[in-house]
Amino acid sequence: MLQKMIFIHSGFRASSTYVWSRFRKNQKYIAYCEIFHEILASLTQQRISSFTPANWNSKHPPGAPYFLEYLSLIQDPGGVAGFDPSLSYDRFVPPSGPSGPVSEVEAAYVRALVDHAEQRGRVPVLTETRSLGRVAGLKAAAPGLHVVLYRNLYQQWCSYTEQATCGNAYFLDTITKTARLSLHDPMIRNLLSIYPVETPSTTDMNTFYLFMFLHIYLYSHATAAADLVIDVNRLSGDAAYRGEIEGAFAERDVPVDFSDARSSTAYSLVSFPCRADMLEQIRIVGDAIIGKMASERGRAITETIVADLFEEHERHEFYSKRLRSVLLSTRHDRDAALAAAEAVHGQIAGLQDERDRSEIERDAALAAVEDARGQIAGLQGEREQSAIERDAALAVADEARRQADGLQGERDRSGIERDAARAAAEDAHRATDAMRAECDRLRDEANAASRAAEEIRHEADALRSERDAAVRDRAAIESEHGRLGRDLASLSALRDRLAGERDAALAAHANAERERQGARSRYDELLRWSLAFHDSTAASVSWRLTRPLRWIGLGRPTRPRKPDFL
């Protein structure tokens, strides 16, 4: 039932983890640690084991991981069911002030935790160090036993200082974080305007004042709403008081043992030019805050808290004033050493960066050399291929030259044969003319013989025989003449064929000469391009190795354009 729920409220470094651990030991309870802790928004089952008292300078009693009770409430991929990040600080003080109601988001989340414990037959114990500004609202939303723990404010400040000096500024940062996210509250807004803090510091007076007055204001409201208020300093040093508190729990059927409570103290590094002025300022501002408190109980407890603060400060100054000077001197020396170490680390980082840049440039240069080697090998292959093509072109040119020489020889032979044919044809013409002249002469003689036959009959047969012979000779001459005509026609055809072959040979020679000239031109152009490409490659390698030119992009060599036939 909700009436059995126990809610323990406190500030940071105020023994809330110790009190929580006492309830955790009892199987009757399920004790939730810091229910508004911002880590719950992303907590995973795998990370639970990393949050333990042993993992940092906590001064907490040893035990299991803080958030183990949330294990079954963690969602996938992470975060506790119902938890909203605004619960940590954005809703630290309700909109209407510390006495006002909390939001439904806060109420529903608290009820879910309570139900989770009660469904297992256990009493829920909720603890939180971020709830001092909303105790009244949480009590109204979740009725039960609401307990407020408070620690001597000066000791609490010393614990903040010790943690920050050891490198954990989380608690110191919560002072300004809480104030800046609660500016809707007039008192907190006024405190932050009177004591502005840019960056919290253990030696800054404004940080000290803001811490003190913020907690005085929060405690005045929290203790007024609480069912039970515990001074954790007296819990460890006053046996009678401890018995009284254990009896108050027992009356509510809540057995708990605080016999192993121990107190610890740390140190403060903040110095004041005038201690009396500091005490007077705390008294005046504290009275102004307490005077606005309507609850008589809240005013009385807060007045006690302020009085204990003065007493503890006086005791601390008596025992630790000299220690603070030593600590400040040690801290100054440590800060100087850290600054020197940071400077050395910076120099080392610079040298490492320079080394990395040098390695990158070296690798780039090696890559450029390898690329140049590849390009040179490619150019050598192209040169060898060009040489092969050149040799092939020269062989083709030589073959064309030989063919042209052969064609010229054939042409010369054809010319000689043609000239011989022409001479033979002219001889044939002359012989034909001579034969015609001879035929004419024989015809004249035959005519003369015929005429003489008339006159000389006895010579007729002889003349007839001679005539017949002449006729036969003429037929033979005519036959020879026909043969000569046919030979002439054959020679004319041969002449035409030879003339055609000559023209074809001349055309083939001209074509071969053009191909030879083209091959020669391509070879020359390819040779020039190969030489220019080789020169540009060498220039590119030199340019790449010249870092300043490459950085500004000046003088970068250009590649020659490839010949069109490639």
Side-chain angles (χ1 to χ4, degrees):
M1 297 175 58
L2 286 176
Q3 286 71 20
K4 293 183 179 180
M5 186 269 295
I6 302 172
F7 203 137
I8 300 172
H9 308 269
S10 77
F12 294 106
R13 310 303 296 167
S15 301
S16 64
T17 305
Y18 165 74
V19 175
W20 162 77
S21 70
R22 299 307 91 193
F23 285 98
R24 193 187 207 188
K25 286 181 175 293
N26 193 328
Q27 292 298 313
K28 177 181 178 181
Y29 306 107
I30 289 184
Y32 301 98
C33 181
E34 297 195 21
I35 65 169
F36 294 150
H37 198 300
E38 57 268 30
I39 198 65
L40 299 180
S42 58
L43 185 66
T44 63
Q45 295 181 353
Q46 293 76 16
R47 295 181 62 199
I48 281 183
S49 61
S50 62
F51 300 101
T52 67
N55 283 355
W56 62 296
N57 184 30
S58 64
K59 294 188 176 181
H60 294 162
Y66 296 116
F67 305 118
L68 204 56
E69 283 75 10
Y70 298 96
L71 185 63
S72 60
L73 295 172
I74 294 177
Q75 307 173 104
D76 187 25
V80 173
F83 181 83
D84 186 274
S86 65
L87 299 180
S88 300
Y89 295 100
D90 296 273
R91 302 178 189 272
F92 191 95
V93 176
S96 56
S99 300
V102 296
S103 65
E104 180 57 30
V105 175
E106 295 162 283
Y109 173 62
V110 171
R111 285 196 298 268
L113 295 178
V114 171
D115 291 344
H116 177 259
E118 291 183 342
Q119 287 169 5
R120 288 155 179 75
R122 313 272 287 280
V123 177
V125 178
L126 284 62
T127 61
E128 183 46 56
T129 55
R130 302 164 186 81
S131 59
L132 288 179
R134 44 186 156 176
V135 175
L138 289 170
K139 182 178 179 180
L145 176 60
H146 285 260
V147 181
V148 170
L149 309 179
Y150 80 88
R151 183 183 184 183
N152 184 284
L153 277 179
Y154 197 78
Q155 288 190 5
Q156 190 177 356
W157 165 257
C158 289
S159 182
Y160 275 43
T161 300
E162 181 185 38
Q163 288 291 322
T165 304
C166 293
N168 179 18
Y170 175 85
F171 303 106
L172 201 65
D173 291 338
T174 61
I175 301 171
T176 52
K177 186 173 185 178
T178 301
R180 289 168 182 166
L181 292 175
S182 303
L183 293 177
H184 55 277
D185 184 274
M187 178 62 72
I188 296 177
R189 185 170 61 250
N190 290 337
L191 289 175
L192 195 58
S193 64
I194 297 171
Y195 303 103
V197 177
E198 189 67 30
T199 302
S201 169
T202 57
T203 58
D204 177 51
M205 288 189 293
N206 278 1
T207 303
F208 174 84
Y209 285 130
L210 183 62
F211 167 83
M212 292 298 173
F213 296 136
L214 179 64
H215 280 82
I216 290 171
Y217 176 64
L218 294 174
Y219 277 135
S220 68
H221 286 275
T223 55
D227 299 307
L228 180 63
V229 178
I230 301 177
D231 180 348
V232 296
N233 293 90
R234 295 181 63 190
L235 198 63
S236 61
D238 188 335
Y241 179 78
R242 181 170 63 250
E244 181 183 336
I245 295 300
E246 290 175 348
F249 276 111
E251 290 176 1
R252 296 172 171 83
D253 193 23
V254 181
V256 64
D257 180 14
F258 296 126
S259 60
D260 58 349
R262 298 290 182 270
S263 64
S264 65
T265 187
Y267 49 83
S268 173
L269 298 179
V270 64
S271 297
F272 298 94
C274 178
R275 178 174 177 270
D277 290 347
M278 181 270 292
L279 295 176
E280 184 176 10
Q281 188 167 175
I282 291 179
R283 183 165 45 253
I284 293 173
V285 178
D287 288 346
I289 295 173
I290 296 170
K292 291 181 177 293
M293 190 64 214
S295 167
E296 183 65 32
R297 179 174 180 241
R299 285 201 304 272
I301 295 176
T302 308
E303 287 172 353
T304 301
I305 291 174
V306 173
D308 290 345
L309 160 65
F310 291 155
E311 182 180 347
E312 181 62 27
H313 179 265
E314 184 175 359
R315 184 186 302 111
H316 182 276
E317 287 297 295
F318 179 80
Y319 289 107
S320 305
K321 184 176 182 179
R322 176 60 183 164
L323 175 62
R324 180 168 61 247
S325 300
V326 174
L327 289 173
L328 287 172
S329 175
T330 303
R331 181 178 180 182
H332 176 74
D333 294 341
R334 185 202 66 184
D335 292 342
L338 289 175
E342 287 294 328
V344 171
H345 286 312
Q347 293 175 355
I348 292 173
L351 291 174
Q352 289 175 341
D353 291 341
E354 183 65 25
R355 182 198 63 189
D356 294 340
R357 286 194 298 271
S358 298
E359 289 178 352
I360 292 171
E361 291 174 356
R362 180 201 63 193
D363 294 340
L366 290 175
V369 169
E370 289 298 324
D371 183 57
R373 287 175 178 170
Q375 292 179 357
I376 290 171
L379 289 173
Q380 287 175 343
E382 292 178 3
R383 183 188 65 184
E384 292 173 358
Q385 182 63 31
S386 297
I388 293 171
E389 293 177 354
R390 178 200 63 194
D391 294 339
L394 290 175
V396 170
D398 291 340
E399 180 63 25
R401 192 178 294 109
R402 285 193 298 271
Q403 291 178 359
D405 292 340
L407 291 172
Q408 287 176 348
E410 291 181 2
R411 183 192 63 184
D412 294 340
R413 287 193 299 273
S414 297
I416 293 170
E417 293 175 355
R418 181 196 62 197
D419 294 339
R422 285 177 178 174
E426 289 174 357
D427 290 342
H429 284 301
R430 285 192 297 271
T432 302
D433 292 339
M435 291 297 289
R436 286 198 185 106
E438 184 65 21
C439 288
D440 293 340
R441 185 182 62 80
L442 291 174
R443 189 177 297 113
D444 292 340
E445 291 178 355
N447 292 333
S450 294
R451 286 190 301 267
E454 291 298 330
E455 296 177 354
I456 307 170
R457 187 169 291 277
H458 59 278
E459 294 179 357
D461 294 332
L463 289 173
R464 191 177 289 113
S465 298
E466 289 177 1
R467 184 194 64 188
D468 294 334
V471 169
R472 286 193 301 271
D473 291 338
R474 185 183 65 183
I477 290 171
E478 289 177 352
S479 177
E480 182 65 21
H481 176 72
R483 185 183 66 78
L484 291 173
R486 288 191 299 273
D487 291 341
L488 180 60
S490 176
L491 289 173
S492 297
L494 177 61
R495 179 195 62 192
D496 295 337
R497 182 176 65 79
L498 291 174
E501 292 177 354
R502 179 200 63 193
D503 296 337
L506 290 174
H509 172 71
N511 188 41
E513 184 65 22
R514 284 194 299 274
E515 290 180 353
R516 185 181 69 81
Q517 292 295 334
R520 183 65 183 181
S521 175
R522 289 194 298 276
Y523 167 72
D524 292 338
E525 187 174 356
L526 181 60
L527 183 59
R528 286 193 298 273
W529 177 82
S530 298
L531 292 174
F533 191 91
H534 174 74
D535 293 339
S536 67
T537 300
S540 179
V541 171
S542 299
W543 179 83
R544 287 176 181 271
L545 295 177
T546 306
R547 188 187 309 168
L549 293 180
R550 179 160 51 83
W551 283 347
I552 63 176
L554 180 64
R556 182 168 186 167
T558 58
R559 295 291 192 191
R561 189 173 67 85
K562 285 186 177 182
D564 296 336
F565 59 87
L566 289 182

